[in-house]
Amino acid sequence: MAKVNPAEFARDVRREVAKVTWPTRKETGVTTAMVFVMVVVASLFFLVVDQVLAFSVRMILGLGA
């Protein structure tokens, strides 16, 4: 691998970072809110599935009420 001058590397990094399209505060907020909503939805889904499976296993094994 070719050796790179540290100063040249730093300049290249700055040039590449300047090309990045950074999200606005609003975009970041909306994305964060959507992540939290999806976490809640997924948690509720897995809670329901877990309860259904647990109930089914209890009935199959005859441990249910």
Side-chain angles (χ1 to χ4, degrees):
M1 185 158 38
K3 293 188 178 185
V4 179
N5 180 356
E8 182 180 341
F9 176 76
R11 281 192 298 274
D12 288 343
V13 169
R14 287 180 63 98
R15 271 194 295 259
E16 289 300 319
V17 169
K19 293 178 186 178
V20 174
T21 303
W22 298 100
T24 63
R25 181 177 288 270
K26 182 179 179 184
E27 290 171 333
T28 303
V30 168
T31 304
T32 302
M34 288 307 298
V35 168
F36 282 119
V37 167
M38 290 307 296
V39 165
V40 169
V41 169
S43 298
L44 292 173
F45 171 77
F46 286 114
L47 173 69
V48 169
V49 169
D50 183 58
Q51 294 300 314
V52 168
L53 290 174
F55 177 77
S56 300
V57 169
R58 281 194 305 271
M59 289 298 119
I60 290 170
L61 297 178
L63 302 174

